[in-house]
Amino acid sequence: MTDQDDFTAFLEQRRRVAQAYVNGDAGPLGEIAAQANPASFFPPRGGREQGAGHVTAVNARGARSMEAGGETTLEVLHSQASGDLAYWTGLQHASVRFAGQAEPAQMHLRVTEIFRREDGDWKIIHRHADFQVEAK
């Protein structure tokens, strides 16, 4: 199996992880999160988070703000893997039920994620997500 084949198969797991997350479960994301630095996250509302443990904690807090009933899809525009590094970039579409809100929120994000192998497994080392804005 080539690096690309291996990463393409992993992206199916990444889709399941995203689905769990929008339903308030950060556990699967923690399983594919980098355990060693460097690791970073540029969240949709701005700012930056750095450090493997800190990013994992930020993600866990984010998941706790969501309730069951969410849906998400990852639209991979392109991806590549070579050796111990890989990435995908594309769009994430989600309907998220935030705690305390009656109606689900619709989210459309532009996403780039970078991964490295740790002990033979793909781990996310960087996520950059921002809200997709339609050009006028």
Side-chain angles (χ1 to χ4, degrees):
M1 178 179 285
T2 68
D3 294 331
Q4 185 63 42
D5 292 339
D6 181 53
F7 187 66
T8 298
F10 168 78
L11 285 176
E12 289 308 312
Q13 177 184 1
R14 180 65 186 97
R15 286 178 168 92
R16 290 188 299 276
V17 167
Q19 184 63 35
Y21 189 82
V22 301
N23 281 279
D25 183 2
L29 182 55
E31 293 173 12
I32 67 163
Q35 302 300 304
N37 291 324
S40 54
F41 173 39
F42 295 171
R45 298 203 189 280
R48 70 175 183 214
E49 308 294 342
Q50 291 181 273
H54 177 70
V55 168
T56 298
V58 166
N59 286 331
R61 277 194 308 274
R64 285 192 298 270
S65 71
M66 297 176 222
E67 298 178 340
E71 291 291 330
T72 192
T73 59
L74 303 180
E75 182 182 340
V76 176
L77 298 179
H78 57 90
S79 69
Q80 187 67 48
S82 181
D84 288 339
L85 290 174
Y87 76 91
W88 78 270
T89 189
L91 305 171
Q92 181 172 6
H93 308 286
S95 176
V96 179
R97 301 192 68 81
F98 286 105
Q101 293 186 1
E103 296 298 319
Q106 303 305 308
M107 298 173 61
H108 301 280
L109 303 173
R110 301 181 311 167
V111 177
T112 299
E113 293 184 339
I114 303 171
F115 300 81
R116 72 168 169 252
R117 289 189 211 260
E118 290 182 3
D119 298 323
D121 296 322
W122 292 113
K123 302 292 182 176
I124 187 169
I125 61 171
H126 178 72
R127 175 178 168 92
H128 183 168
D130 63 12
F131 289 99
Q132 181 177 348
V133 178
E134 295 300 322
K136 294 182 178 186

